């Protein structure tokens, strides 16, 4: 499977080959060997799926160690703007973010290591987001950062997304002490 390493260390984007014929198309959406070839040692234990109306923004979320999660994320329907923020204190790209469109045409997948806050904006109605996690959900370990934080300076392309009450009160980056 073709892949590309991004400037944030450990972040890899995969581009599965689509086999098209007169019935439609086929692709391998996950292949452990492809992960190993990209130098990713992760074992996944949980799949998550969410459906979002257009302009829904979920994030920026992470689980604190020892329940930190690496994720392999993709849009299986619609389009999303996926954003990850490096919150690894010792990283030279601490506080920097990557924004990538994930869509059901390209079927690109993004591998997000532990130590990143993650969120996405649904660019189309009923965008279906499917992702693998390397640790189980642990509600008490959930944390996050404010999606519109001025210091993170993320251009989401929308001014007034639909955000959960929980996400509306996530902390500012300037007050943040990373657990990574
Ligand atoms: C994440 C999760 C949630 N839940 C329950 C808890 C709530 O009752 C309900 C909705 O959860 P939440 O509002 O946290 O869902 P999202 O806002 O989509 O959260 C996710 O959004 C961003 C994009 C992420 O990267 C994380 O995986 C995750 O935080 O599902 C579970 O039962 N298991 C789970 O693994």
């Amino acid at each position: 499977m073709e892949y590309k390493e991004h400037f944030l260390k450990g972040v890899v984007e995969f581009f599965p080959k689509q086999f098209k014929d007169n019935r439609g198309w086929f692709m391998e959406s996950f292949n452990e060997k492809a992960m190993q070839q990209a130098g990713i040692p992760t074992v996944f234990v949980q799949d998550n799926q969410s459906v979002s109306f257009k302009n829904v923004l979920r994030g920026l979320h992470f689980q604190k160690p020892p329940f930190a999660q690496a994720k392999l994320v993709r849009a299986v329907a619609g389009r999303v703007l996926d954003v990850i923020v490096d919150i690894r204190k010792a990283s030279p790209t601490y506080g920097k973010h990557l924004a990538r469109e994930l869509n059901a045409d390209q079927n690109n997948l993004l591998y997000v290591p532990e130590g990143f806050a993650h969120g996405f904006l649904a660019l189309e109605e009923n965008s279906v987001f499917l992702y693998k996690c390397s640790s189980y959900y642990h509600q008490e370990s959930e944390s996050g950062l404010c999606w519109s934080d001025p210091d993170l300076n993320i251009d989401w392309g929308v001014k007034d997304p639909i955000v959960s009450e929980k996400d509306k009160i996530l902390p500012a980056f300037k007050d943040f002490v990373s657990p990574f």
Side-chain angles (χ1 to χ4, degrees):
M1 191 181 293
E2 270 188 47
Y3 68 88
K4 168 185 178 181
E5 296 177 354
H6 282 284
F7 77 100
L8 297 173
K9 187 167 171 33
V11 177
V12 180
E13 185 172 1
F14 291 91
F15 303 90
K17 182 171 172 48
Q18 291 178 2
F19 298 91
K20 296 182 181 174
D21 62 23
N22 63 339
R23 300 166 298 169
W25 55 264
F26 170 91
M27 71 172 199
E28 291 182 4
S29 52
F30 176 75
N31 184 306
E32 177 56 36
K33 203 184 299 176
M35 303 294 285
Q36 289 167 12
Q37 284 166 349
I40 294 167
T42 302
V43 174
F44 296 102
V45 296
Q46 179 176 316
D47 272 5
N48 289 343
Q49 181 167 319
S50 62
V51 181
S52 298
F53 304 128
K54 186 173 180 178
N55 283 339
V56 162
L57 193 154
R58 298 173 184 257
L60 297 159
H61 301 158
F62 63 90
Q63 288 191 174
K64 290 178 278 193
F67 298 95
Q69 295 171 314
K71 296 168 189 166
L72 182 64
V73 303
R74 66 190 177 110
V76 294
R79 291 186 307 131
V80 305
L81 180 66
D82 200 77
V83 174
I84 58 175
V85 179
D86 189 349
I87 53 174
R88 300 168 297 189
K89 288 194 287 279
S91 170
T93 51
Y94 179 74
K96 300 288 184 221
H97 70 273
L98 171 71
R100 287 290 296 153
E101 180 176 317
L102 306 178
N103 61 61
D105 299 325
Q106 220 185 347
N107 279 290
N108 48 334
L109 300 98
L110 195 64
Y111 173 74
V112 186
E114 294 180 9
F116 282 81
H118 173 248
F120 68 87
L121 172 72
L123 301 172
E124 280 180 9
E125 206 60 66
N126 297 326
S127 289
V128 181
F129 196 73
L130 182 66
Y131 54 111
K132 293 184 172 301
C133 301
S134 64
S135 294
Y136 294 109
Y137 174 60
H138 190 260
Q139 196 275 327
E140 298 74 23
S141 301
E142 282 199 303
S143 185
L145 285 167
C146 175
W147 66 275
S148 60
D149 186 275
D151 295 320
L152 296 180
N153 193 28
I154 300 166
D155 180 6
W156 293 96
V158 288
K159 282 276 169 278
D160 191 18
I162 302 163
V163 176
S164 68
E165 290 310 309
K166 178 183 76 165
D167 288 354
K168 284 177 182 169
I169 57 171
L170 286 172
F173 191 55
K174 66 178 172 45
D175 306 325
F176 178 61
V177 178
S178 175
F180 293 96

